[in-house]
Amino acid sequence: MMDAILGADEWEKRWVQSKHRSDYGKFRVASGRFYGDREKDKGLKATEDTKYYAVSARFPPFNNEGQTLVLQYTVKYDQHVDCGGAYVKLYSADLVQEVMNEDSEYYIMFGPDICGEDKKIVQVIFNYKDDYYLIKKNITCETDDFTHLYTLILRPDLTYEVKVDNYVAEAGYLEDDWDFLPPRKIVDHEMAKPDYWDERELIEDPMDKKPDDWDQPERIPDPNVTKPDDWDEEMDGEWAPPSVPNPEYRGKSGTIFDNFLITNDEQYAEDAGNEMWGPTFEREWKRRQGQDVVYKKINENEEPKGKEGKKEKRKKKDRNVKDEL
């Protein structure tokens, strides 16, 4: 089964947003700040900061016994994310979508998870005999704002692969990398704990303090704009500079999900990933390079003054950079 996100009005016929909590974040269809193709690259975009999200799509039940299972989708962090999960979960067929929540039982959880500088991983969690097991290996996820492809492959011979952008990031045996089986060694409960033993794995750093730039607003007053000399507050009102995007803003929303695929064919998944994700990633790189050229010229060149200067600047931009953003 493959699912590219539908149009702005059609996607809600297939995707159901949970009503379990009134404060769940809302999705909308969007292609992001930059893209390869405005229409083809649209996906489900998280729109609100510091929110939990719960949306699901139903598909025909299946049994993968004796078969390979491939779970694949694309993720794009459309703005800088310092803490946020972009993983998906595979649920049972009896899930009530309208009340899906963090306690709903699932079979597989898979995808990137970021929290600060220390946690930038690909989560792979399985439900085995009603307990959840986390992978014991540390798989690094992508953290930039380009579209990336995540693929989980589970085979009948109990081997697995985790691929990022169609390259194998990790592979091995399920029984080696998850603690499904009882441990070979157990704790000796007859041994007493020493009096000096401190069981705390982590403690607060007394020398650490909150960074000065931690609570940054999304937009800030434009530092390059000053109040006009002829501004009259009695006539014109209180003057305030226009706002511009804050480069130090640490946003958390803006993650875009697309190109969901569940199949038993590894080669089909790889080909589909190359076909759907590959051109998008390449076009995003080219568009971003053009975007950076524009930013560089704006920062390096003094703003042209007067009507003629503005005309010349517009002509120069049209000659050098063509960008639909």
Side-chain angles (χ1 to χ4, degrees), residues 75-262:
V75 173
K76 178 180 181 179
Y77 286 116
D78 196 43
Q79 63 189 48
H80 175 76
V81 173
D82 62 353
C83 188
Y87 41 78
V88 297
K89 294 179 179 179
L90 190 62
Y91 292 94
S92 65
D94 59 0
L95 173 73
V96 181
Q97 295 174 267
E98 289 77 8
V99 294
M100 181 182 70
N101 60 81
E102 59 271 23
D103 294 324
S104 298
E105 185 177 14
Y106 61 87
Y107 293 137
I108 299 174
M109 178 173 135
F110 170 64
D113 192 8
I114 299 173
C115 191
E117 292 298 321
D118 298 329
K119 183 179 179 181
K120 299 177 180 179
I121 63 174
V122 179
Q123 294 273 22
V124 188
I125 302 176
F126 295 124
N127 183 328
Y128 178 66
K129 295 184 177 180
D130 296 327
D131 284 327
Y132 293 111
Y133 295 86
L134 286 68
I135 189 171
K136 295 187 289 185
K137 292 182 176 178
N138 187 25
I139 307 174
T140 303
C141 70
E142 298 290 345
T143 59
D144 57 45
D145 52 3
F146 292 94
T147 298
H148 292 284
L149 181 73
Y150 289 89
T151 308
L152 172 64
I153 302 173
L154 304 175
R155 304 187 183 97
D157 62 1
L158 301 183
T159 62
Y160 77 95
E161 284 185 6
V162 173
K163 300 169 72 174
V164 180
D165 295 344
N166 260 343
Y167 289 93
V168 178
E170 193 55 78
Y173 289 90
L174 297 177
E175 293 179 352
D176 292 340
D177 296 339
W178 284 264
D179 289 327
F180 299 128
L181 302 179
R184 292 184 175 90
K185 294 183 178 182
I186 61 174
V187 176
D188 184 357
H189 295 286
E190 300 297 326
M191 182 175 288
K193 182 174 65 175
D195 295 335
Y196 61 83
W197 194 266
D198 188 342
E199 292 186 343
R200 295 176 298 171
E201 182 177 358
L202 298 173
I203 62 172
E204 293 185 3
D205 185 351
M207 305 301 294
D208 191 27
K209 63 178 182 179
K210 184 172 72 173
D212 295 334
D213 64 347
W214 185 259
D215 297 317
Q216 289 287 345
E218 183 175 1
R219 300 182 69 84
I220 58 174
D222 190 337
N224 298 317
V225 177
T226 58
K227 184 170 70 173
D229 296 334
D230 60 351
W231 188 271
D232 187 332
E233 292 196 355
E234 291 186 1
M235 297 289 295
D236 303 322
E238 183 178 357
W239 183 84
S243 64
V244 295
N246 182 1
E248 301 299 326
Y249 173 63
R250 301 187 176 202
K252 296 176 181 64
S253 67
T255 306
I256 299 176
F257 301 82
D258 200 6
N259 302 313
F260 296 93
L261 171 64
I262 300 175

